[in-house]
Each structure stands twice: as C-alpha cells, then as structure tokens.
C-alpha cells in the first residue's frame, strides 16, 4: 500500500490542493449519480446488485448480468435488466457540476468515469476530457459480425424487451436466402418462401432473425477489455502531468480502474470522497459523506459558486 503523504489532512488542505492544482484526475463511480435516483451497484440498501439478487434470475451472482460469457450463452438475462439501466435523464448532479467547474477553470486533466449513464455529457464535460472506462450505451456492436450502430438504433428493442439483432447479419442472410432460391431453391407456386414460412403469406421476413448476431451495447462487461483510450491516456499522457487525484463515489472494487490510483506516482496527493470508506487504498484525505454535500462545501470554502440551480428539469 502507498504511504500517506502526512502533510495533508484537513478539509482546508483539500481546498487548497484543489485551488492550486492545474491537472486534476477525477475518477468517478456510480455514487455521483445516486442523487438523481440512479442506483449504484454495491450499496446494501438500493444497489443494483442487491435489487437483482431479489429477482429470480438464472445466475449465481448478480454481477453475472454483466458477464460476457453468460451474455454469449444467454443474452436474455442482460436484456431483462437492460431496460431499467438505459440512460434516461437530461439532469446532472452537483457533483457532475463540480467536475464541469474544474474543467471551466482549466484544472481538469481527465475525468475517468466508470459510469455508463453518460451524464457527464449533460453537465458539459468535454469528450476529450472524459474517459468512459466501462464504455457506454452510445454505440452497440454485433456479437457475430462486429457491425457497429449508434445506441439509439437498439433502444426501442431494449425498452420493449426484445433482443436486438444485427441488421447487417439479417441482410446478409436474406441475400444468401435469395440467391439460393435463384439457383433453384424450393419455391411455392406463389414464389413465397414456403420453405421457411409454410403457412404465413405476409411479407414479414423475420424467418432469418434467430440466426443473425445479437447486438450488445458497448458497455464493458466482466471478461471484456476496457476501451484502448483508457490505457493510452493514462500511461502516455496523464501519468506525467497529473498533480492531484480526486476519487468520488466508487467502491474501487473493479479492476483495472481500481488500479489507477496505486499506479499514479506516489507523491501526487490523493483525495477520496464517498459515503463508504475504503481500506484497500490509502488516500491522503478522506472526505466521507454525501458527495454533493462535500463538493458544495469545498466550493464554499474555495469561494467558488457551484451552480446547483443549473440542473435542468427533465
Ligand atoms: P459501487 O456501487 O461499487 O460503489 C459506489 C460507491 O459510492 C459506494 O461506496 C457508495 O457508498 C458510494 N455512494 C453512493 N451514493 C453516494 C453519494 N450520494 N455520495 C457519496 N458516495 C456515494 O459502484 P462503482 O464503484 O461505480 O461495472 O462500481 C464499479 C463498477 O462495478 C461499475 O462500473 C459496474 C459495476 O460492476 C460494470 O458494469 C462493467
Ligand atoms: Zn452482424
């Protein structure tokens, strides 16, 4: 474990560190969105994994909902849950506003977010300051042919509880089906595809859908690699520039994001803001409590006007 830098202890030390820093890494987790009504993962009361444990899902551990091998075996388990975790708010929390404020003041080096709610964008955090370590719903990829689409394209399927299938696979299957028939495949007298749709005369071509690849949102599942930008930015860019680390609202239980803090040079001061303390990493200053309250107090002491009121209604 990294040794604490003994010179920083108090809330005021945190304030002056933030005031003097020029290149802050802010590492965030689900705790910064709970004030918007979005559950975190591991809180005993309302965490998503606690909620999932109460459902009758055919898995041993709720985290398996996001396990890539399980998804490949049976995507319905993920899609049972996915409709409830789709981003659906234009709001952002005071903590998101705080990160945006650091950006405005030219102090934000990078926000490494584990969140897939994409709320950083609502707060105006610039895409080139943001690493979505666990991906997002912004795009989706076919698990069979690799075809990528924008996330919106599969949202209606997700919301209606259908498994989204790949358009490209479907057209490939249809083209293959057509050419087979052209080469003398069986046809009914009407020319309809009686082989597939024996008594179905409408033109619904869904016969080939079950063979088409399943679309998966580009959120990082357990067993999948993080986006390349995560590693590239951290190692080739941020490591030598960072002068302060602020970790907010994450239990730091999931690698490799949990390894970011110990990876950074040990003389860089590290602040932890969360309801729940961590014991596996030594921060210099722990500010335990509701993160929206903590950042508001830091701003008050710094003499900065954190505009909570800019949270727009949905
Ligand atoms: P966790 O649920 O593990 O941790 C959230 C932390 O934030 C907990 O320590 C809470 O006590 C704290 N917290 C919640 N609300 C808070 C508030 N209003 N103010 C201050 N603290 C608050 O969530 P993450 O650490 O983000 O990955 O989880 C990491 C990853 O595990 C997620 O990205 C997700 C999950 O499996 C994937 O789905 C791939
Ligand atoms: Zn495909």
């Amino acid at each position: 474990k990294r040794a604490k830098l003994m010179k920083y202890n108090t809330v005021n030390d945190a304030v002056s560190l933030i005031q003097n820093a020029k290149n802050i890494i802010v590492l965030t987790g689900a705790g910064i969105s709970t004030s918007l009504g979005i559950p975190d993962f591991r809180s005993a009361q309302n965490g998503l994994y606690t909620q999932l444990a109460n459902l009758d899902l055919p898995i041993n551990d709720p985290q398996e909902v996001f396990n890539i091998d399980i998804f490949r075996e049976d995507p319905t388990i993920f899609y049972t849950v996915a409709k409830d975790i789709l981003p659906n708010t234009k709001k952002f929390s005071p903590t998101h506003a705080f990160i945006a404020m650091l950006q405005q003041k030219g102090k934000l080096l990078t926000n490494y977010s584990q969140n897939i709610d994409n709320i950083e964008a609502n707060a105006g955090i610039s895409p080139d300051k943001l690493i979505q370590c666990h991906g997002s719903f912004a795009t989706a990829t076919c698990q069979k042919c690799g075809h990528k689409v924008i996330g919106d394209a599969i949202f209606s399927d997700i919301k209606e509880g259908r498994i989204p299938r790949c358009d490209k696979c479907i057209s490939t299957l249809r083209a293959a089906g057509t050419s087979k028939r052209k080469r003398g495949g069986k046809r009914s007298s009407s020319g309809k595809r009686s082989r597939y749709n024996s008594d179905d005369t409408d033109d619904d071509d869904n016969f080939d859908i079950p063979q088409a690849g399943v679309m998966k949102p580009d959120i990082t599942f357990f067993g999948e690699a993080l986006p390349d930008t995560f590693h590239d930015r951290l190692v080739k860019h941020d490591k030598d520039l960072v002068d302060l680390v602020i970790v907010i609202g994450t239990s730091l239980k999931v690698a490799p994001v949990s390894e970011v803090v110990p990876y950074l040079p040990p003389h860089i001061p590290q602040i932890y803001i969360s309801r729940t303390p961590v014991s596996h990493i030594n921060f210099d200053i722990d500010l335990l409590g509701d993160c929206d309250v903590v950042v508001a107090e830091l701003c008050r002491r710094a003499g900065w006007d954190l505009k909570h009121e800019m949270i727009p209604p949905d």
Side-chain angles (χ1 to χ4, degrees):
K1 248 201 248 184
R2 163 186 176 272
K4 279 195 185 207
L5 307 171
M6 297 311 283
K7 49 188 165 169
Y8 308 113
N9 302 293
T10 64
V11 179
N12 283 340
D13 290 338
V15 173
S16 64
L17 281 169
I18 295 168
Q19 283 177 311
N20 294 320
K22 294 188 176 67
N23 286 308
I24 306 176
I25 285 182
V26 180
L27 194 159
T28 49
I32 71 164
S33 298
T34 53
S35 63
L36 301 170
I38 300 169
D40 66 9
F41 293 90
R42 295 179 181 77
S43 285
Q45 270 232 286
N46 305 313
L48 182 70
Y49 293 146
T50 312
Q51 295 180 39
L52 294 180
N54 296 328
L55 297 181
D56 208 10
L57 294 169
I59 45 178
N60 300 318
D61 172 349
Q63 291 194 61
E64 290 178 0
V65 161
F66 302 106
N67 178 303
I68 192 64
D69 297 321
I70 306 250
F71 182 85
R72 285 181 185 136
E73 249 168 57
D74 181 5
T76 56
I77 301 170
F78 168 74
Y79 280 115
T80 310
V81 174
K83 57 180 174 307
D84 298 322
I85 58 167
L86 279 181
N88 70 346
T89 179
K90 289 274 169 277
K91 292 187 186 172
F92 52 92
S93 72
T95 303
H96 292 94
F98 171 71
I99 302 165
M101 168 186 264
L102 295 177
Q103 169 182 274
Q104 258 168 14
K105 292 184 182 297
K107 292 174 178 291
L108 181 65
L109 179 61
T110 305
N111 177 193
Y112 289 90
S113 176
Q114 298 165 89
N115 299 344
I116 52 177
D117 55 28
N118 208 34
I119 290 174
E120 296 83 9
N122 300 351
I125 295 167
S126 153
D128 58 71
K129 295 270 175 202
L130 176 66
I131 299 289
Q132 292 182 301
C133 307
H134 293 163
S136 80
F137 278 98
T139 54
T141 305
C142 171
Q143 298 301 288
K144 196 169 176 183
C145 77
H147 180 55
K148 245 187 215 308
V149 301
I150 59 159
D152 285 356
I154 65 167
F155 281 6
S156 62
D157 275 344
I158 296 180
K159 281 181 196 148
E160 282 156 39
R162 286 189 301 264
I163 293 180
R165 299 278 172 174
C166 170
D167 285 342
K168 194 170 168 204
C169 282
I170 291 174
S171 30
T172 309
L173 284 162
R174 280 184 187 159
T178 311
S179 62
K180 249 186 233 154
R181 281 191 297 281
K182 276 188 186 142
R183 287 198 303 270
K186 240 190 212 171
R187 286 172 174 227
S188 70
S189 53
S190 69
K192 294 265 182 202
R193 295 164 183 172
S194 56
R195 200 152 53 109
Y196 306 99
N197 279 347
S198 49
D199 52 12
D200 182 2
T201 48
D202 66 22
D203 236 343
D204 163 27
D205 277 342
N206 285 339
F207 63 91
D208 39 21
I209 283 186
Q211 291 144 267
V214 171
M215 300 301 292
K216 177 187 149 295
D218 290 336
I219 57 180
T220 308
F221 277 37
F222 293 103
E224 285 191 301
L226 273 63
D228 289 341
T229 51
F230 165 75
H231 187 261
D232 288 352
R233 173 119 181 163
L234 181 68
V235 173
K236 296 181 195 154
H237 186 259
D238 288 2
K239 179 169 68 80
D240 301 320
L241 290 174
V242 61
D243 58 8
L244 178 63
V245 182
I246 309 177
V247 176
I248 318 178
T250 170
S251 63
L252 293 171
K253 293 238 167 86
V254 177
V257 172
S258 58
E259 288 154 10
V260 168
V261 181
Y263 169 77
L264 292 169
H267 66 279
I268 304 300
Q270 304 181 347
I271 299 172
Y272 184 66
I273 303 173
S274 181
R275 275 184 194 150
T276 319
V278 287
S279 54
H280 59 295
I281 294 178
N282 255 342
F283 287 90
D284 300 302
I285 306 177
D286 291 300
L287 302 174
L288 299 182
D290 186 309
C291 56
D292 292 343
V293 174
V294 172
V295 300
E297 177 61 11
L298 292 173
C299 288
R300 195 188 64 77
R301 294 194 191 199
W304 293 339
D305 184 19
L306 182 67
K307 292 193 174 58
H308 299 230
E309 67 274 15
M310 57 188 181
I311 299 174
D314 263 332

